[in-house]
Amino acid sequence: MFVSDCRREFYEAIVSQRVLLLVASDVDALCACKILQALFQCDHVQYTLVPVSGWQELETAFLEHKDQFKYFVLINCGANVDLLEILQPEDDTFFFICDSHRPINVVNVYNDTQIKLLVKQDDDLDVPAYDDIFRDEEDEEEDSENESDGSEPSEKRRRFEEDVIERTMKRRQRREWEARRREILFDYEQYEYHGTSSAMVMFDLAWVMSKDLNDMLWYVSIIIFHRYVTDIGILQRHVSRHNHRNEDEENSLSIDCMRIAFEYDLRLALYQHWSLYESLCNTSYTSASLKLWSVQGQKRLQEFLADMGLPLKQVKQKFNSMDMSLKENLREMIEESANKFGMKDLRVQTFSIHFGFKNKFSASDIVYATASLMENIEKEGPETTNFIKALDSLSRGNLDKLHQGLDLAKKQLRAIQQTVASCICTNLVISQGPFLYCSLMEGTPDVKLFSKPVSLCLLSKYLLKSFVCSTKNKRCKLLPLVMAAPMDVEQGTVIMVGIPPETESSDKKNFFGRAFEKAADSTNSRTLHNHFDMSIIELKTEDRSKFLDALISLLS
Amino acid sequence: MPVMKKHGERMMKFKNKGKDTAAMRRQRVEVTVELRKAKKDEQILKRRSISFSLMDESLSPGEDKRDEIIPLSLEKITEAVNGSNPELQLQATQDTRRILSRQKDPPINQIIELGIIPRLVEFLTYADNAPLQFEAAWALTNIASGTSDHTKAVVEAGAIPAFISLLSSPHMHISEQSVWALGNIAGDGPLYRDALINCGVIPPLLALVSPVTPVGFLRNITWTLSNLCRNKNPYPPLNAMKTMLPVLICLIKHEDKEIISDSCWAVSYLTDGSNDRIQIVVDTGILPRLVELMVSPELIIMTPALRAIGNVVTGTDEQTQAAIDAGVLAVLPRLLRHAKPSIQKEAAWTLSNIAAGPRQQIQQLITCGLLPPLVELLDKGDFKAQKEAVWAVANFTTGGTAEQVVELVQSGVLKPLLNLLLAKDSKTILIILDTISNLFLTAEKLGETETLCLLVEELDGLEKIEALQTHDNNMVYRAALNIIEKYFSGEENPDLQPGTGQDGLYDFSVEKQDFDF
């Protein structure tokens, strides 16, 4: 069921309990987790944090802890499947689910006792009505019970009016109802998308309890800019509420204090921690617009830089060390030239954080850094190390970890850019009819990086954007993309993601989750739907071709 | 002493000792049948209300309207039925039938009070107006489905001969409706059942059974036949029984589960009688089929098949042997372990009657592996089933040889048996105490009394028997006291107490070897 009063039905219910916190590995979950941890710390709530990267880990974590805990808080996992069915918990176990995955499983919505959904009610959920999908089976059961209980036949029987007709009518009605139910559920479950950010839900909770801090707001800002553009307005109000004193000269805060600003900035990845040139080359937007994978494109980049009047030496230098005079009106200069080169959206409004003299970070850079830390392929300890590191990097006190993340992010962006270029130059993106398909070979440079779901998704998005810019085929511009990369060579598995078409509007709904499921079912392919995003699956390499064939015929 | 007397009384009742067993057994069955019937009636009522609520919700508005327009008032009905306009007659009869088949509480009394039943019966004879015949037959069927008084009203209007002659109607739906009506009349009790038989219902009814008869029709016929076999005091005439049996034997081989079920019930009624009736059924050679049906996945078939075989083994040793030869011992373990308590109970009842047989049959029971499921049931079964299992053990210890009794003890029967001494039911406790006495008698014969004493003590049986000395029931108290006094009074034989369990004296298995000559 949906929780209508988060404070009373959620927070006050768990505040004096021992709580197990299960957190998915995505940046939104980390931010939400940070906020909740801060609240827990305030109120001395006893909790244990367990990171979970997929359904298998979630199940294992539950089984390991179900004897010690009755209260489970799930962040960005659990809403989109029938949780009670997969976990089989005792009746006195309660789940509080704060998850942006949509659609929410209907059983979770209508379970009144054990499942509490922390979901903003104003979200456009369109959950099917109870009576349309559930039906009391009493009638049928009683009927069959009477038929099969083996008691003596009745001594006398009355003949009812049109017994037979009634029964067939009843059966027909039932069939119609079932058909309708299938249709409704199909419509409801067909597309996968994301609802309100979990960090936002947690921040709202903190706000309602008047326990919201500027740090918490920063966590939300990070994620809102990343994915949930629609909530920017609300957030902006919170930002000015928390940071308005900066404008007042007399009450100005110490320079060490944190300030959040909502301001215009360039849509260039990590440029403040890189060189302008590197950032231009490795930002998906500029790289795709200028078609940097081609010689022509490289030329265009030179022309672009010349147009701005920036010397190459300065541009290739660390941004921090660039000439102050150039930096002063850099943004205006870049914007002006960008317009000429067809890059009208290079300027964006974004959140940034300042503290101390030299620390300034933009929200989007933090997302890159945190995500890279989470999927760091260099093993540095047990499975959870990456998660903990990523979580820590969000705190202001852990600048070293954040900088390590920024370095990893640069590596990742370079790898993505090179892979995109090679895929396009060698025509690895093939049209399969209903969708585009690209498969990375074993042995491709950096292929290991893309065995991780978030990195592969990022690559897929960048590749699709670039492909749409490179192709002249109009039909292909409208197609979604399915991308596969080797996952575990020893086990012979590939990881596959499906992403919606480039052209679609801001709410990107993804139908690959259901389609993957059906294709796997119809071909008996050995797949594993382990990720909380249903549009990411793992698949045996031998089963790939029959799986793809089924997917093509399914979507054609 | 009274315990011994009681014991003697019961000894008289086991079929291998005296010939009175069947009576006692049947009495117990009768009680359960009564209970079952009451429960069934509740269920029927329940089903009715369900059917009606279904109808209510599934009726389209259009149909409702039709209902509003058409029905005549009760006065109009009376007028039209008694009048001479055939169209109005039909309409009024149809409305009567609708009233009787639609409403939740059909106003049967009101319809009877209209005095139109004789006219409706008369309509049955209007061979040139088939629709009217049909509507009248249906209306009368539903009137006869009520209480005995309702049925009486139909019969006294002379419906029996009219319906019997309609069995041969050229219109199948009319003859089917007549079969139904006759079934209701037969189901009223032995009086009307025999009235029907005396009016010659059986030959035309049986004539309707043919390879081309539709399944739905056959179901009705089978049910009516089962009602003609049903009820005692008196039993149906032997001749009627002999006429119907061959057809029932055919029907029992049908593939429709409801037909099989109802014909099994019919056979179970026929076997629920004196041994000569059981003999008639045994002679048809149907027992193997019944045994096969006992393990049907359908409860509605398994239940009556088990009942029929259960009835057969209440008969003579030869009749019981026929059931054993048909394979009943091979299927009973499965039924004793069935999930449904009622099946467990009936299976245990059946087993108890086989255990009451001669030692050869008891031996077959052991050979076929019935002891482990019996012990399981005694240990974990439903309480009613446990009671039957206690009877089985009691009969076994009464009729079995010392060797067989030893085998029974070896299969672990003592522990669950002693546990059941905690039951609330004093009759069961008495039987268990008797059984324990029987065991001691055997042990005495074998010179193993001390071993048995120790075994009972080890299993906390002594404690329980001692506790029964304070039981409210005088007989229980005396029986318990008797055992204590006889076998557990003081240290009369201190040197016989085996200080060691290792020398095997504990175990009856050793005795068996001693005994085995």
Side-chain angles (χ1 to χ4, degrees), chain A residues 135 139 142-143 145-163 165-166 169-170 173, chain B residues 40 43-44 50 57-58 97 100-101 106 138 142 144 146 151 177 180 184 188 220 223 227 230 265 269 299-300 303:
Chain A
R135 173 166 168 141
D139 302 353
E142 288 213 27
D143 248 10
E145 207 179 30
N146 259 348
E147 270 173 30
S148 65
D149 71 349
S151 50
E152 236 176 311
S154 46
E155 285 159 332
K156 296 178 184 177
R157 300 177 303 153
R158 194 147 66 95
R159 179 169 179 180
F160 293 112
E161 179 83 44
E162 313 299 355
D163 264 351
I165 295 172
E166 303 293 350
M169 257 176 68
K170 184 87 190 148
Q173 276 179 348
Chain B
K40 177 70 187 175
Q43 276 174 342
I44 293 168
I50 287 163
E57 77 186 46
S58 55
R97 179 268 287 175
L100 290 168
S101 53
W138 187 344
N142 283 5
T151 313
Q177 195 57 55
W180 194 325
N184 278 343
D188 188 64
N220 266 328
W223 171 72
N227 270 356
R230 199 167 179 165
W265 280 110
Y269 301 144
L299 209 51
I300 59 166
T303 307

Coordinates of all heavy atoms in Angstrom, one line a residue, chain A residues 135 139 142-143 145-163 165-166 169-170 173, chain B residues 40 43-44 50 57-58 97 100-101 106 138 142 144 146 151 177 180 184 188 220 223 227 230 265 269 299-300 303:
Chain A
R135 N -9.9 -10.8 -7.9 CA -11.2 -11.2 -7.9 C -11.3 -12.3 -6.8 O -10.4 -13.2 -6.7 CB -11.5 -11.8 -9.2 CG -12.8 -12.5 -9.4 CD -13.1 -12.6 -10.9 NE -14.2 -13.5 -11.1 CZ -15.0 -13.3 -12.0 NH1 -14.9 -12.3 -12.8 NH2 -16.0 -14.2 -12.2
D139 N -16.5 -18.2 -5.2 CA -17.5 -18.8 -5.9 C -17.0 -20.2 -6.5 O -17.5 -21.2 -6.2 CB -18.0 -18.0 -7.1 CG -18.5 -16.7 -6.6 OD1 -18.6 -16.5 -5.3 OD2 -18.8 -15.8 -7.4
E142 N -15.9 -22.8 -3.9 CA -17.0 -23.5 -3.2 C -17.7 -24.5 -4.2 O -18.0 -25.6 -3.8 CB -18.1 -22.5 -2.7 CG -17.5 -21.7 -1.6 CD -18.6 -21.3 -0.6 OE1 -19.6 -22.1 -0.5 OE2 -18.4 -20.3 0.1
D143 N -17.8 -24.1 -5.4 CA -18.4 -25.0 -6.4 C -17.6 -26.3 -6.5 O -18.2 -27.4 -6.3 CB -18.4 -24.3 -7.8 CG -19.8 -24.0 -8.2 OD1 -20.7 -24.1 -7.3 OD2 -20.0 -23.6 -9.3
E145 N -15.5 -27.4 -4.5 CA -15.4 -28.1 -3.2 C -16.6 -29.0 -3.1 O -16.5 -30.2 -2.8 CB -15.4 -27.1 -2.1 CG -14.7 -27.6 -0.8 CD -14.7 -26.5 0.2 OE1 -15.7 -25.7 0.2 OE2 -13.8 -26.5 1.0
N146 N -17.8 -28.5 -3.4 CA -19.0 -29.2 -3.3 C -18.9 -30.5 -4.2 O -19.4 -31.5 -3.9 CB -20.2 -28.4 -3.7 CG -20.9 -27.9 -2.5 OD1 -20.7 -28.4 -1.4 ND2 -21.8 -26.9 -2.7
E147 N -18.4 -30.2 -5.4 CA -18.3 -31.3 -6.3 C -17.4 -32.5 -5.9 O -17.6 -33.6 -6.2 CB -17.8 -30.8 -7.7 CG -19.0 -30.3 -8.6 CD -18.5 -29.7 -9.8 OE1 -17.4 -30.0 -10.3 OE2 -19.2 -28.8 -10.3
S148 N -16.4 -32.1 -5.2 CA -15.3 -33.1 -5.0 C -15.2 -33.5 -3.5 O -14.3 -34.2 -3.1 CB -14.0 -32.6 -5.5 OG -13.6 -31.5 -4.7
D149 N -16.1 -33.1 -2.6 CA -15.9 -33.5 -1.3 C -16.3 -34.9 -0.9 O -16.0 -35.4 0.2 CB -16.6 -32.5 -0.3 CG -18.1 -32.7 -0.3 OD1 -18.6 -33.4 -1.2 OD2 -18.8 -32.1 0.5
G150 N -16.9 -35.6 -1.9 CA -17.1 -37.0 -1.7 C -18.2 -37.4 -0.7 O -18.3 -38.5 -0.3
S151 N -19.1 -36.4 -0.4 CA -20.2 -36.8 0.5 C -21.3 -37.4 -0.3 O -21.3 -37.4 -1.6 CB -20.7 -35.5 1.2 OG -20.9 -34.5 0.3
E152 N -22.2 -38.0 0.4 CA -23.3 -38.8 -0.3 C -24.1 -37.9 -1.2 O -24.3 -36.7 -0.8 CB -24.2 -39.4 0.8 CG -24.3 -40.9 0.7 CD -25.1 -41.4 1.9 OE1 -24.8 -41.1 3.0 OE2 -26.0 -42.2 1.6
P153 N -24.6 -38.4 -2.2 CA -25.5 -37.6 -3.1 C -26.8 -37.2 -2.3 O -27.2 -37.9 -1.4 CB -25.8 -38.5 -4.3 CG -25.5 -39.9 -3.8 CD -24.5 -39.8 -2.8
S154 N -27.3 -36.0 -2.7 CA -28.5 -35.6 -2.0 C -29.7 -36.5 -2.4 O -29.7 -37.1 -3.5 CB -28.8 -34.1 -2.4 OG -28.7 -34.0 -3.8
E155 N -30.6 -36.6 -1.5 CA -31.7 -37.5 -1.7 C -32.7 -36.9 -2.7 O -33.4 -37.6 -3.4 CB -32.4 -37.8 -0.3 CG -31.6 -38.8 0.5 CD -31.9 -38.7 1.9 OE1 -32.3 -37.7 2.4 OE2 -31.7 -39.7 2.6
K156 N -32.9 -35.6 -2.6 CA -33.8 -34.9 -3.5 C -33.1 -33.7 -4.1 O -32.2 -33.1 -3.5 CB -35.0 -34.4 -2.8 CG -35.8 -35.6 -2.2 CD -37.0 -35.0 -1.4 CE -37.7 -36.1 -0.7 NZ -38.8 -35.6 0.1
R157 N -33.4 -33.4 -5.3 CA -32.8 -32.3 -6.0 C -33.8 -31.5 -6.7 O -34.7 -32.0 -7.4 CB -31.8 -32.8 -7.0 CG -30.6 -33.6 -6.4 CD -29.7 -34.1 -7.5 NE -30.4 -34.9 -8.5 CZ -30.0 -35.0 -9.7 NH1 -29.0 -34.4 -10.2 NH2 -30.7 -35.7 -10.6
R158 N -33.8 -30.2 -6.5 CA -34.6 -29.3 -7.3 C -34.0 -28.9 -8.6 O -32.8 -28.8 -8.7 CB -34.9 -28.0 -6.4 CG -36.0 -27.2 -6.9 CD -36.6 -26.5 -5.7 NE -35.8 -25.5 -5.0 CZ -35.8 -24.2 -5.3 NH1 -36.6 -23.7 -6.3 NH2 -35.0 -23.4 -4.7
R159 N -34.8 -28.8 -9.6 CA -34.2 -28.4 -10.9 C -34.3 -26.9 -11.0 O -35.4 -26.3 -11.0 CB -34.9 -29.0 -12.0 CG -34.3 -28.6 -13.4 CD -34.8 -29.4 -14.5 NE -34.2 -28.9 -15.8 CZ -34.5 -29.4 -16.9 NH1 -35.3 -30.5 -17.0 NH2 -33.9 -29.0 -18.0
F160 N -33.1 -26.2 -11.1 CA -33.1 -24.8 -11.2 C -33.4 -24.3 -12.6 O -33.1 -25.0 -13.5 CB -31.8 -24.2 -10.6 CG -31.7 -24.4 -9.2 CD1 -30.7 -25.3 -8.7 CD2 -32.5 -23.8 -8.3 CE1 -30.6 -25.5 -7.3 CE2 -32.4 -24.0 -6.9 CZ -31.4 -24.9 -6.4
E161 N -33.8 -23.1 -12.7 CA -34.0 -22.4 -14.0 C -32.7 -22.4 -14.8 O -31.7 -21.8 -14.3 CB -34.5 -21.0 -13.8 CG -34.8 -20.2 -15.0 CD -36.1 -20.6 -15.6 OE1 -37.1 -20.7 -14.9 OE2 -36.2 -20.8 -16.9
E162 N -32.7 -23.0 -15.9 CA -31.5 -22.8 -16.8 C -30.2 -23.0 -16.2 O -29.3 -22.1 -16.3 CB -31.6 -21.5 -17.6 CG -33.0 -21.1 -18.1 CD -33.5 -22.1 -19.2 OE1 -32.7 -23.0 -19.5 OE2 -34.6 -22.0 -19.6
D163 N -30.0 -24.0 -15.4 CA -28.8 -24.3 -14.8 C -27.6 -24.1 -15.7 O -26.6 -23.4 -15.4 CB -28.7 -25.7 -14.2 CG -29.1 -25.8 -12.8 OD1 -29.2 -24.7 -12.2 OD2 -29.3 -26.9 -12.3
I165 N -27.3 -22.7 -18.7 CA -27.1 -21.4 -19.3 C -26.4 -20.5 -18.3 O -25.4 -19.8 -18.6 CB -28.4 -20.8 -19.7 CG1 -29.0 -21.7 -20.8 CG2 -28.2 -19.4 -20.2 CD1 -30.4 -21.3 -21.3
E166 N -26.9 -20.6 -17.0 CA -26.2 -19.8 -16.0 C -24.8 -20.1 -15.9 O -23.9 -19.2 -15.8 CB -26.9 -20.0 -14.6 CG -28.4 -19.8 -14.5 CD -28.8 -18.4 -14.7 OE1 -27.9 -17.5 -14.7 OE2 -30.0 -18.1 -14.8
M169 N -22.8 -18.8 -18.8 CA -22.7 -17.4 -18.8 C -21.7 -17.0 -17.8 O -20.8 -16.1 -18.1 CB -24.1 -16.8 -18.4 CG -24.8 -16.2 -19.6 SD -26.4 -15.6 -19.1 CE -25.9 -14.2 -18.1
K170 N -21.7 -17.6 -16.7 CA -20.8 -17.3 -15.6 C -19.3 -17.5 -16.1 O -18.4 -16.7 -15.9 CB -21.0 -18.2 -14.5 CG -20.2 -18.0 -13.3 CD -20.9 -17.0 -12.4 CE -19.9 -16.6 -11.3 NZ -20.0 -15.2 -10.9
Q173 N -18.4 -14.9 -18.7 CA -18.0 -13.6 -18.0 C -16.6 -13.7 -17.4 O -15.8 -12.7 -17.5 CB -19.0 -13.4 -16.9 CG -20.3 -12.7 -17.3 CD -21.2 -12.5 -16.2 OE1 -21.0 -13.0 -15.1 NE2 -22.2 -11.7 -16.4
Chain B
K40 N -24.3 -32.7 4.8 CA -24.6 -32.5 3.4 C -25.8 -31.5 3.2 O -25.7 -30.7 2.3 CB -24.9 -33.9 2.8 CG -25.3 -33.8 1.3 CD -24.1 -33.5 0.5 CE -24.5 -33.3 -1.0 NZ -23.4 -32.9 -1.8
Q43 N -24.8 -28.2 3.3 CA -24.0 -27.8 2.1 C -25.0 -27.5 1.0 O -24.7 -26.6 0.2 CB -23.0 -28.8 1.8 CG -21.8 -28.7 2.5 CD -20.8 -29.8 2.3 OE1 -21.2 -30.8 1.8 NE2 -19.5 -29.6 2.6
I44 N -26.0 -28.3 0.9 CA -26.9 -28.1 -0.2 C -27.6 -26.7 -0.1 O -27.6 -26.0 -1.0 CB -28.0 -29.2 -0.2 CG1 -27.4 -30.5 -0.6 CG2 -29.1 -28.8 -1.2 CD1 -28.3 -31.7 -0.3
I50 N -25.9 -19.9 -3.0 CA -24.8 -19.4 -4.0 C -25.4 -19.3 -5.4 O -25.3 -18.3 -6.1 CB -23.6 -20.4 -4.0 CG1 -22.9 -20.2 -2.7 CG2 -22.7 -20.1 -5.1 CD1 -21.9 -21.3 -2.4
E57 N -26.7 -11.9 -10.0 CA -25.8 -11.0 -10.6 C -25.6 -11.2 -12.1 O -25.2 -10.3 -12.8 CB -24.4 -11.1 -9.8 CG -23.5 -12.3 -10.2 CD -22.3 -12.3 -9.3 OE1 -22.4 -12.1 -8.1 OE2 -21.2 -12.5 -9.8
S58 N -25.8 -12.4 -12.5 CA -25.6 -12.6 -14.0 C -26.8 -12.3 -14.8 O -26.7 -12.3 -16.0 CB -25.1 -14.1 -14.2 OG -26.0 -14.9 -13.7
R97 N -43.8 -23.4 -12.7 CA -42.4 -24.0 -12.8 C -41.4 -23.0 -12.5 O -40.4 -23.2 -11.8 CB -42.3 -24.7 -14.1 CG -40.9 -25.3 -14.3 CD -39.9 -24.4 -14.9 NE -40.1 -24.2 -16.3 CZ -39.4 -23.3 -17.0 NH1 -38.4 -22.6 -16.5 NH2 -39.6 -23.1 -18.3
L100 N -41.1 -21.9 -9.0 CA -40.5 -23.0 -8.2 C -39.0 -23.2 -8.4 O -38.3 -23.9 -7.6 CB -41.3 -24.3 -8.4 CG -42.7 -24.4 -7.8 CD1 -43.5 -25.6 -8.4 CD2 -42.6 -24.4 -6.3
S101 N -38.6 -22.7 -9.6 CA -37.2 -23.0 -9.9 C -36.3 -21.7 -9.8 O -35.1 -21.8 -9.9 CB -37.0 -23.6 -11.3 OG -37.7 -22.8 -12.2
P106 N -38.5 -21.3 -2.5 CA -39.7 -21.5 -3.4 C -40.9 -21.7 -2.6 O -40.9 -22.4 -1.6 CB -39.3 -22.8 -4.1 CG -38.2 -23.5 -3.2 CD -37.5 -22.3 -2.5
W138 N -41.7 -30.8 -14.7 CA -40.6 -30.0 -14.0 C -41.2 -29.4 -12.7 O -40.6 -29.5 -11.6 CB -40.1 -28.9 -14.9 CG -39.0 -28.1 -14.4 CD1 -38.5 -28.0 -13.2 CD2 -38.1 -27.2 -15.2 NE1 -37.4 -27.2 -13.1 CE2 -37.1 -26.7 -14.3 CE3 -38.1 -26.9 -16.6 CZ2 -36.2 -25.8 -14.8 CZ3 -37.1 -26.0 -17.0 CH2 -36.1 -25.5 -16.1
N142 N -39.9 -30.2 -8.8 CA -39.5 -29.3 -7.8 C -40.3 -29.3 -6.5 O -39.8 -29.1 -5.4 CB -39.4 -27.9 -8.3 CG -38.2 -27.7 -9.2 OD1 -37.5 -28.7 -9.5 ND2 -38.0 -26.5 -9.7
A144 N -41.7 -32.0 -5.4 CA -41.3 -33.3 -4.7 C -39.9 -33.2 -4.1 O -39.5 -34.0 -3.3 CB -41.3 -34.4 -5.7
G146 N -39.0 -31.0 -2.1 CA -39.0 -30.4 -0.8 C -39.1 -31.4 0.4 O -38.4 -32.4 0.3
T151 N -43.5 -34.0 -0.9 CA -43.4 -35.2 -1.8 C -44.8 -35.9 -1.7 O -45.3 -36.4 -2.7 CB -42.3 -36.1 -1.3 OG1 -41.1 -35.3 -1.1 CG2 -42.0 -37.2 -2.4
Q177 N -37.0 -35.6 -17.4 CA -37.6 -34.9 -16.3 C -38.4 -35.9 -15.4 O -38.3 -35.7 -14.2 CB -38.6 -33.8 -16.8 CG -39.0 -32.8 -15.8 CD -37.7 -32.1 -15.2 OE1 -36.9 -31.5 -15.9 NE2 -37.6 -32.2 -13.8
W180 N -36.1 -37.7 -13.1 CA -35.7 -36.8 -12.0 C -36.8 -36.8 -10.9 O -36.5 -36.9 -9.7 CB -35.5 -35.4 -12.6 CG -34.8 -34.4 -11.7 CD1 -34.9 -34.3 -10.4 CD2 -33.9 -33.4 -12.1 NE1 -34.1 -33.3 -9.9 CE2 -33.5 -32.7 -11.0 CE3 -33.4 -32.9 -13.4 CZ2 -32.6 -31.6 -11.0 CZ3 -32.5 -31.9 -13.4 CH2 -32.1 -31.2 -12.2
N184 N -36.7 -38.0 -6.9 CA -37.0 -37.3 -5.7 C -38.0 -38.1 -4.9 O -38.0 -38.0 -3.7 CB -37.7 -35.9 -6.1 CG -36.6 -34.9 -6.4 OD1 -35.4 -35.1 -6.1 ND2 -37.0 -33.8 -7.1
D188 N -37.3 -40.0 -0.9 CA -38.1 -39.6 0.3 C -37.9 -40.7 1.4 O -38.0 -40.3 2.6 CB -39.5 -39.4 0.0 CG -40.3 -38.8 1.2 OD1 -39.9 -37.6 1.5 OD2 -41.1 -39.5 1.7
N220 N -28.7 -38.6 -14.5 CA -30.0 -38.6 -13.8 C -30.5 -40.0 -13.5 O -31.0 -40.2 -12.4 CB -31.0 -37.8 -14.6 CG -31.1 -36.4 -14.2 OD1 -30.9 -36.0 -13.1 ND2 -31.4 -35.5 -15.2
W223 N -28.5 -41.6 -10.7 CA -28.9 -41.0 -9.4 C -30.2 -41.6 -8.9 O -30.4 -42.0 -7.7 CB -28.9 -39.5 -9.5 CG -29.5 -38.8 -8.3 CD1 -28.9 -38.7 -7.0 CD2 -30.8 -38.2 -8.1 NE1 -29.7 -38.1 -6.2 CE2 -30.9 -37.8 -6.8 CE3 -31.9 -38.0 -9.0 CZ2 -32.0 -37.1 -6.3 CZ3 -33.0 -37.4 -8.5 CH2 -33.1 -36.9 -7.2
N227 N -31.1 -43.9 -5.6 CA -32.1 -43.7 -4.6 C -33.0 -44.9 -4.4 O -33.6 -45.2 -3.4 CB -33.0 -42.5 -5.0 CG -32.4 -41.2 -4.4 OD1 -31.4 -41.3 -3.6 ND2 -33.0 -40.1 -4.7
R230 N -31.4 -47.1 -2.0 CA -31.0 -46.5 -0.8 C -32.1 -46.8 0.3 O -33.2 -47.2 0.0 CB -31.0 -45.0 -1.0 CG -30.3 -44.1 -0.1 CD -30.2 -42.7 -0.7 NE -29.5 -41.8 0.2 CZ -29.0 -40.6 -0.3 NH1 -29.1 -40.3 -1.5 NH2 -28.4 -39.8 0.6
W265 N -22.2 -45.3 -5.1 CA -23.1 -45.1 -3.9 C -24.2 -46.2 -3.9 O -24.5 -46.7 -2.8 CB -23.7 -43.7 -3.9 CG -22.7 -42.7 -3.4 CD1 -22.1 -41.7 -4.1 CD2 -22.2 -42.5 -2.1 NE1 -21.3 -40.9 -3.3 CE2 -21.3 -41.4 -2.1 CE3 -22.4 -43.2 -0.9 CZ2 -20.6 -41.0 -0.9 CZ3 -21.8 -42.8 0.3 CH2 -20.9 -41.7 0.3
Y269 N -25.0 -48.8 -0.9 CA -26.3 -49.0 -0.2 C -26.6 -50.5 -0.2 O -27.1 -51.0 0.8 CB -27.4 -48.2 -0.8 CG -27.2 -46.7 -0.9 CD1 -27.6 -46.0 -2.0 CD2 -26.5 -46.0 0.1 CE1 -27.4 -44.6 -2.1 CE2 -26.3 -44.7 0.0 CZ -26.7 -44.0 -1.1 OH -26.5 -42.6 -1.1
L299 N -12.3 -37.7 -5.4 CA -12.8 -38.0 -4.1 C -14.2 -38.5 -4.2 O -14.7 -39.4 -3.4 CB -12.8 -36.7 -3.2 CG -12.6 -36.9 -1.7 CD1 -11.5 -37.8 -1.4 CD2 -12.5 -35.6 -1.1
I300 N -15.0 -38.0 -5.1 CA -16.4 -38.4 -5.2 C -16.5 -39.9 -5.6 O -17.6 -40.5 -5.5 CB -17.2 -37.5 -6.2 CG1 -16.7 -37.5 -7.6 CG2 -17.3 -36.1 -5.6 CD1 -17.6 -36.9 -8.6
T303 N -14.6 -42.2 -2.3 CA -15.4 -42.3 -1.0 C -16.5 -43.4 -1.1 O -16.5 -44.3 -0.2 CB -16.1 -40.9 -0.7 OG1 -15.1 -39.9 -0.7 CG2 -16.8 -41.0 0.6

